[in-house]
Every structure is written in C-alpha cells, then in structure tokens.
Amino acid sequence: VSVDEFPEGLCICCIDDSASQRHVLDHAVRYHLRPRTVHIFGNTVDDVSAFIHAVLEEGDIAILDQNLDFTGHHRLGTDLVAQLRASGFTGLLCIRSGSSSPSDRQFYLNSGADCVIPKEGKMTDIVREIQQAYMAHERRRAVDEIPRGSVRAPSDACIQLPGQL
C-alpha cells in the first residue's frame, strides 16, 4: 500500500504505558499515515477510560499495547479490545506487543484484534502493516456491508509474521 492509496483524515487512538513508545508511535503515525487526529494515552490508569471513550467516539484505528502496567494496576490490551468490540466498535484494532510468537499472535487475533504489530522492527515496516491491515479491513467491511457502529467478529487481517510482507 502506498501512502497515496491510504486515506487521509482518519482518527488514530493509541495507548501504551511507556512514554518512549508513545512518543515513537505518535511521531510514526503522524508522519507516515497523515491522520486528521491522533490521540495518545497511557500516562496513568485513568487514561484507559479516556482511551475507550475516544475510540468509540471518533476512532478509525486503535493501537493498543498488550501489557499496560500502571502503578498498582495491570490491564491487558486484549481485554480492552473485547470491551471495544462489545461496545460496537467496528474499526481496526491493533495489538502492539513485545511478545509476538505465532501462539501469542493467534491469541491476540482470537481476542478480537485485527492486526498484531511487534514492538521491535523498523517503524516504516510497522506503519506498512497498519496500512495493509486497514485497507484489508475496509475491503471486508464493504463486502460484508458492515456499517460503522455495529459489532463485528474478529478477523485474520494481519496474520503475517515480520518479514512476510
């Protein structure tokens, strides 16, 4: 997918408990994906509910760290994916994790994520994975005639392992 083929003006919401990962992700999606809006969350556990609200209100793509560790609180990205799906979100849901073995990836996909993004690797490759997963997701939505706001089943949009792009 070339940058020219990827739609401009999307809203991308990200949550990660690492300040450096939030910074890298914020820069990468703003620079490479040309979104209308980027919302970055993860400073405190209070950001979890703000993230969920932002995704449901205006999100097209949500990128979630799998292991969110806040002082005294641990949340799983896959639990948030399930909450978003149960609330009717039909946009692209990406789990971002340092654990991306084939069994981990299958767990994330079975939990409702559309795409699994490894934390390691070049950001340009990661952005390309998001682009490809979004375009495949939108093609499936059009074929299945799934309107925005309806509950959608998990898919296997982004099962390829790093290096198989």
Side-chain angles (χ1 to χ4, degrees), residues 106 109-110 113-115 133 136 140 152-160:
Q106 196 57 54
L109 295 170
N110 289 344
D114 298 296
C115 184
R140 273 191 316 283
R152 140 171 232 322
S155 67
D156 58 353
C158 190
I159 293 183
Q160 68 262 54

Side-chain angles (χ1 to χ4, degrees), residues 104-119:
D104 289 330
R105 295 173 72 83
Q106 196 57 54
F107 171 73
Y108 305 145
L109 295 170
N110 289 344
S111 296
D114 298 296
C115 184
V116 180
I117 305 166
K119 283 199 174 183

